[in-house]
Amino acid sequence: MELNDIIKPENKVYSEPKLLNRVHMHYCPGCSHGVVHKLVAQVIEEMGVAEKTVGVSPVGCAVFAYNYIDVDWEEAPHGRATALATAVKRLWPENLVFTYQGDGDFSAIGTCESIHACNRGENIVIIFINNAIYGMTGGQMAPTTLLGQKTATCPYGRRPDLNGYPLAITPLLAQLDGTCYVTRQSVHTPANVRKTKAALKKAFENSINCKGTSVVEIVSACNTGWKLTPEKANKWMEENMFAKYPLGDLKDLEDGIQR
Amino acid sequence: MINEIVIAGFGGQGVLSMGKILAYSGLMEDKEVCWLPSYGPEQRGGTANVTVIVSDERISSPVLNTYDVVVVLNQQSLDKFESKVKPGGILMYDTYGIHKKPTRTDIKIYPIDATEKSIEMKNSKTFNMIVLGSMLKVRPMVTIDSVLKALKKTLPERHWHLIPLNEEALKEGGNLIKE
Amino acid sequence: MNDKVTLMKGNEALAMAMIRYGADGYFGYPITPQSEVLEKLEEEMPWETTGMVVLQAESEVAAINMVYGGAMTGKAVCTSTSSPGFSLMQEGVSYLAASEVPALLINVQRGGPGLGTIHASQADYFQACKGGGHGDYHMIVLAPSSVQEMADMVALGFDLAFKYRCVSMILADGTIGQLMEKVVLPEQRPRRTDDEIRQQCPWAVNGRKGMRPSNVVTSLELDDDKMEENNWRFQACYREIEKNETRCELIDVEDCDYLITAFGTTARVAMKTMELARAEGIKVGMFRPITLWPFPEKQLREAAKNVKGILCVELNAGQMVEDVKLAVECKMPVEHYGRFGGNVPTPDELLNVLKEKLINK
């Protein structure tokens, strides 16, 4: 096939999503955020709902998500994204409203807002990036940091007597009457990327159809924070993270929550 | 004409609602009124008091230190408010449970047997309307007719059948005052 | 009797005025002495009539962030709380100001510091007027001294917030909140339609209708020069507000020898003090700021031109008195009298203070 044939529209098998802005991302090479951003942009585009989508970005590495995905965004104070999203969705009930939060934002400083938004059954989507570390501030311990894992604030490894235990918050949220869909995914292989995309699509549809709160946890690699190469980071994630945070659906109510 | 009043007693004696009905009665006559309760946990079981002002002119301060009319419904309130009656003003108290009577001589003092009367009427809920009837007999700042209108305005319709009983209580309260 | 006149608590008047204004949302958390705001809203069920959203949040922190989230979409949203709750909200207030989004906040003050008491206080004047949160920002601060003003300031607060894309607050106190007096509620205004909001607030975040360019509202700007530019823009807006929006009430200042400065509940008490003083032949006037920020400096300077002294009465240890002294440039004696912890002075008490501190000195 000649180049001219390859670039014919009918031969196109893949293109970057139009909702992904053509700017350099600040994420480290090997980070999962870039892949997840692309999926979010793809799904919104495929669903044709950019006109009524509002994203809420966190404090953490993804604070600048609003520079990368070309929809309307609010930037939240640290941990409060679900409170902002609650108001947006209640005031604009036809919109697709999602938050994009890391483990520190969602399950440390924002735990109260996270749990109560889920418990009220707010019709929002929470995209929860769990990489077991604070990336932006330079690799400190997160609630999800594994026992023995070394970080800047547990340099000799996380100890339960000093630091308590890793927090698996999604199983807790799955127990709440307000959540309709709780799932845990990853984006470290093409197969997992496809599954995560399907999960995001289902969650976004739930928001538009007001079925309750959807939580999509994405177990992710932070090779810089973990001080590993991207390849080794993915391997470390498979061997250690998945044991504590196993992948799969925790809850899926087809008809939405009981009101 | 301005009437500065405080009503004080135990929570549950209907102190705040008596004040409210008095304020609404003033409203029925297009007077200036205000109602300021003591609020918070002290309402519940402890002592409660409410300041009511009924006036022909614009009311300045809702917070007062001395009053034209002081209505007290227990000993603690009597002890607390006796000194706050303006000279020449009115102190009215329910006699039930009062063991230390007021001693001032520069004011008009009206002991009333309102608790006793409410027992006689076989309905303790008439108590505050009996007291209001007595107070309005001594100081007719609003008419009984306005009080009845106020009751109709403040009570939900399902309680309107109680208005005749309240009217009776207001009348009985007035009768407790002997000239 | 005028049918439109009703008796209502200050807190209830706030709630009714929000509905009548056509507010889009209220997010709050119960705290004495302002819980009647949320109670009244829930009782009225405005979502069935005007479509207004009412939500009891899980905390004041959540409530202010719901307000923030809603404000960024261009809707007219508000919250109310009392002092400890307003302390919790300060982070959100700073973000609201930095994001230049309109919102109405209400603090029905109680005695502090700490949990303190549940009765009236004015000890949050500094917090409201000098910036309780981080960074250089201001809110328009309105001080109601009657139930009627509680009702009227809801619309005024919202209108100013939308005019300047800033935060308005009503700084009330426990007495005005709990006080019941006559009020005429404003006429019912319709809520703006979503399309009207899109038109009036082209900056708002509510979806890219018609695939317009995306909107982002953020308080983050890591480029120092750009952040400095933002600050200059905020300050220019504050200067504009100072120029246009100072409000005050002057009573009997034409012939007065002494001036009382007070706001909110203490202004009401001091009005009675004026009556008592004038009955004794002492000529007392009153300056009552209606906007605490911007503080009506010029009006005060003018009113105080010929007086022998000023008594500033507050329910705190001396906060507004600093602005009073700055306004009159310390050209005459300015005395302060404060009560704390939920105590409110009485009219005769203030008359004695006036004599002791200024007249008989």
Side-chain angles (χ1 to χ4, degrees):
Chain A
M1 224 194 280
E2 294 295 313
L3 181 66
N4 283 339
D5 295 320
I6 294 171
I7 61 172
K8 274 183 183 163
E10 61 266 30
N11 289 332
K12 188 157 98 180
V13 291
Y14 179 82
S15 70
E16 62 182 353
K18 289 190 192 67
L19 291 177
L20 207 56
N21 286 327
R22 276 197 150 257
V23 290
H24 283 289
M25 285 188 176
H26 71 290
Y27 300 118
C28 310
C31 171
S32 308
H33 275 307
V35 182
V36 181
H37 280 25
K38 184 194 73 180
L39 292 180
V40 170
Q42 253 179 1
V43 175
I44 294 171
E45 193 174 316
E46 284 170 19
M47 289 172 68
V49 290
E51 287 191 80
K52 54 177 183 176
T53 296
V54 173
V56 183
S57 72
V59 171
C61 282
V63 65
F64 288 124
Y66 55 72
N67 285 336
Y68 307 134
I69 303 172
D70 198 15
V71 295
D72 274 12
W73 283 95
E74 298 187 344
E75 206 293 299
H78 198 17
R80 316 300 171 214
T82 53
L84 271 66
T86 292
V88 177
K89 181 64 181 173
R90 288 206 178 216
L91 292 162
W92 300 82
E94 284 163 17
N95 279 19
L96 158 60
V97 181
F98 72 92
T99 71
Y100 189 109
Q101 302 175 261
D103 40 58
D105 194 83
F106 183 70
S107 66
I109 191 169
T111 312
C112 181
E113 286 78 8
S114 304
I115 288 178
H116 283 282
C118 289
N119 194 49
R120 285 191 302 265
E122 301 295 344
N123 298 308
I124 60 172
V125 177
I126 297 162
I127 302 170
F128 166 40
I129 306 296
N130 176 7
N131 57 16
I133 205 156
Y134 282 68
M136 177 176 252
T137 42
Q140 294 84 3
M141 184 181 66
T144 48
T145 296
L146 299 177
L147 290 178
Q149 186 184 340
K150 290 175 181 168
T151 74
T153 50
C154 50
Y156 308 107
R158 182 175 190 161
R159 278 170 51 176
D161 58 337
L162 291 178
N163 314 114
Y165 301 89
L167 175 62
I169 194 169
T170 22
L172 206 147
L173 301 175
Q175 291 177 40
L176 302 176
D177 293 333
T179 49
C180 62
Y181 178 49
V182 181
T183 187
R184 198 186 269 133
Q185 302 292 336
S186 80
V187 290
H188 69 301
T189 70
N192 288 99
V193 169
R194 277 195 293 275
K195 279 188 194 166
T196 300
K197 186 178 169 185
L200 287 171
K201 189 169 181 210
K202 181 184 278 189
F204 285 179
E205 280 166 354
N206 286 343
S207 172
I208 288 173
N209 298 324
C210 296
K211 286 190 172 175
T213 312
S214 299
V215 184
V216 181
E217 174 178 351
I218 301 169
V219 182
S220 304
C222 177
N223 48 291
T224 303
W226 296 352
K227 302 192 191 330
L228 296 169
T229 63
E231 195 191 354
K232 281 184 179 158
N234 278 348
K235 197 153 184 283
W236 187 87
M237 178 170 77
E238 279 183 337
E239 285 168 4
N240 299 281
M241 294 278 283
F242 292 172
K244 175 69 190 171
Y245 308 111
L247 305 186
D249 286 353
L250 287 87
K251 182 182 195 177
D252 186 5
L253 305 178
E254 293 284 329
D255 300 326
I257 60 172
Q258 298 277 327
R259 304 249 192 212
Chain B
M1 181 70 177
I2 182 163
N3 300 278
E4 296 176 333
I5 305 141
V6 67
I7 307 161
F10 287 123
Q13 278 180 313
V15 167
L16 299 187
S17 64
M18 172 181 165
K20 204 174 264 186
I21 288 160
L22 177 59
Y24 268 100
S25 308
L27 179 73
M28 297 299 137
E29 297 183 11
D30 253 343
K31 290 186 180 349
E32 295 301 319
V33 293
C34 86
W35 174 93
L36 179 64
S38 61
Y39 57 88
E42 65 185 63
Q43 287 178 19
R44 300 180 183 91
T47 59
N49 68 71
V50 59
T51 302
V52 179
I53 305 175
V54 181
S55 173
D56 294 325
E57 284 139 48
R58 183 185 170 185
I59 294 165
S60 49
S61 178
V63 180
L64 301 167
N65 193 34
T66 57
Y67 305 87
D68 302 306
V69 181
V70 170
V71 178
V72 287
L73 306 175
N74 63 15
Q75 185 71 55
Q76 283 135 290
S77 302
L78 177 55
D79 297 344
K80 183 173 171 186
F81 285 103
E82 183 184 351
S83 62
K84 297 187 185 288
V85 186
K86 290 181 196 170
I90 291 162
L91 172 64
M92 178 172 282
Y93 67 95
D94 179 37
T95 52
Y96 184 78
I98 297 295
H99 51 85
K100 212 175 110 222
K101 290 185 177 171
T103 55
R104 278 178 66 176
T105 54
D106 61 334
I107 56 175
K108 282 172 252 163
I109 297 177
Y110 295 88
I112 52 165
D113 302 326
T115 301
E116 213 165 90
K117 180 55 79 183
S118 73
I119 293 167
E120 204 178 287
M121 288 182 75
K122 296 192 174 58
N123 191 335
S124 63
K125 287 192 174 148
T126 58
F127 173 72
N128 63 354
M129 286 301 104
I130 295 171
V131 176
L132 184 59
S134 302
M135 195 197 89
L136 291 177
K137 182 72 182 280
V138 174
R139 184 111 170 184
M141 61 193 85
V142 293
T143 65
I144 297 294
D145 201 38
S146 299
V147 179
L148 296 176
K149 275 192 210 155
L151 280 168
K152 204 162 177 182
K153 177 134 180 123
T154 52
L155 285 176
E157 209 170 327
R158 63 180 191 278
H159 289 149
W160 282 4
H161 67 278
L162 295 171
I163 292 177
L165 179 67
N166 280 287
E167 187 175 5
E168 179 68 17
L170 287 160
K171 207 177 94 197
E172 290 292 345
N175 292 340
L176 291 178
I177 304 297
K178 289 147 196 105
E179 292 303 328
Chain C
M1 203 195 89
N2 183 346
D3 277 353
K4 288 183 178 161
V5 181
T6 51
L7 271 188
M8 203 171 272
K9 276 189 175 189
N11 288 335
E12 294 168 337
L14 288 172
M16 293 308 295
M18 289 169 192
I19 300 171
R20 295 287 181 99
Y21 179 75
D24 297 303
Y26 170 93
F27 305 91
Y29 186 78
I31 179 171
T32 308
Q34 66 76 51
S35 298
E36 291 88 352
V37 182
L38 177 57
E39 288 172 9
K40 186 75 179 168
L41 285 169
E42 295 284 1
E43 185 191 318
E44 289 290 317
M45 299 200 290
W47 52 91
E48 299 283 351
T49 51
T50 70
M52 179 185 178
V53 169
V54 179
L55 181 60
Q56 178 169 341
E58 63 269 33
S59 69
E60 286 91 349
V61 174
I64 191 73
N65 281 288
M66 289 171 184
V67 167
Y68 186 31
M72 285 190 267
T73 71
K75 297 255 177 173
V77 288
C78 53
T79 185
S80 65
T81 184
S82 182
S83 305
F86 200 56
S87 290
L88 276 172
M89 291 184 178
Q90 291 310 306
E91 182 201 34
V93 180
S94 171
Y95 280 69
L96 280 161
S99 306
E100 300 170 282
V101 289
L104 176 67
L105 316 177
I106 299 164
N107 178 359
V108 182
Q109 298 167 92
R110 58 188 252 180
L115 264 180
T117 76
I118 56 169
H119 293 114
S121 167
Q122 297 174 327
D124 304 344
Y125 178 94
F126 279 158
Q127 186 190 45
C129 300
K130 313 289 175 185
H134 58 283
D136 277 315
Y137 72 88
H138 277 293
M139 294 178 282
I140 296 176
V141 183
L142 304 168
S145 72
S146 66
V147 174
Q148 186 64 52
E149 277 190 334
M150 287 285 248
D152 295 344
M153 282 177 179
V154 169
L156 177 62
F158 268 128
D159 286 346
L160 291 175
F162 274 90
K163 182 174 175 190
Y164 294 98
R165 277 178 67 181
C166 70
V167 184
S168 290
M169 86 166 297
I170 297 175
L171 188 67
D173 60 65
T175 297
I176 300 294
Q178 294 296 324
L179 177 67
M180 196 167 79
E181 56 185 8
K182 278 160 72 165
V183 59
V184 179
L185 292 174
E187 294 294 322
Q188 180 69 53
R189 285 204 225 175
R191 279 175 58 237
R192 293 165 304 157
T193 62
D194 289 353
D195 278 333
E196 282 168 348
I197 290 170
R198 287 188 187 98
Q199 209 170 9
Q200 285 171 16
C201 307
W203 46 267
V205 168
N206 43 42
R208 300 174 54 191
K209 185 137 195 234
M211 288 312 278
R212 61 150 169 75
S214 55
N215 281 339
V216 173
V217 178
T218 176
S219 64
L220 180 69
E221 179 48 75
L222 289 181
D223 181 321
D224 297 351
D225 292 335
K226 283 188 185 159
M227 194 61 206
E228 186 170 42
E229 222 172 86
N230 288 351
N231 269 278
W232 282 120
R233 195 175 62 249
F234 306 156
Q235 293 303 320
C237 174
Y238 301 148
R239 295 299 86 75
E240 196 65 20
I241 294 169
E242 282 172 342
K243 205 170 76 192
N244 303 332
E245 307 298 346
T246 53
R247 287 167 167 79
C248 66
E249 185 186 13
L250 301 167
I251 308 170
D252 292 346
V253 294
E254 295 77 17
D255 67 338
C256 71
D257 292 323
Y258 300 95
L259 195 63
I260 297 181
T261 59
F263 65 97
T265 286
T266 42
R268 293 288 294 272
V269 177
M271 281 178 209
K272 181 99 182 169
T273 306
M274 285 173 58
E275 293 165 17
L276 300 176
R278 293 226 168 216
E280 289 184 23
I282 308 167
K283 288 178 185 166
V284 179
M286 153 125 14
F287 166 82
R288 178 174 78 88
I290 291 170
T291 51
L292 299 180
W293 194 91
F295 190 75
E297 290 180 333
K298 278 183 208 152
Q299 293 94 323
L300 173 56
R301 203 153 41 238
E302 182 64 26
K305 240 177 5 198
N306 300 316
V307 304
K308 295 175 187 164
I310 297 176
L311 178 65
C312 182
V313 185
E314 300 175 78
L315 304 180
N316 59 46
Q319 300 192 14
M320 183 176 79
V321 68
E322 294 189 0
D323 288 328
V324 172
K325 283 182 178 171
L326 280 172
V328 300
E329 294 158 343
C330 297
K331 284 179 178 158
M332 72 259 322
V334 177
E335 294 288 345
H336 178 262
Y337 183 69
R339 293 291 305 266
F340 322 108
N343 281 323
V344 178
T346 55
D348 46 338
E349 178 181 347
L350 290 186
L351 183 58
N352 289 336
V353 170
L354 189 67
K355 288 177 182 169
E356 263 171 45
K357 292 201 173 207
L358 285 171
I359 300 171
N360 300 334
K361 210 165 177 185

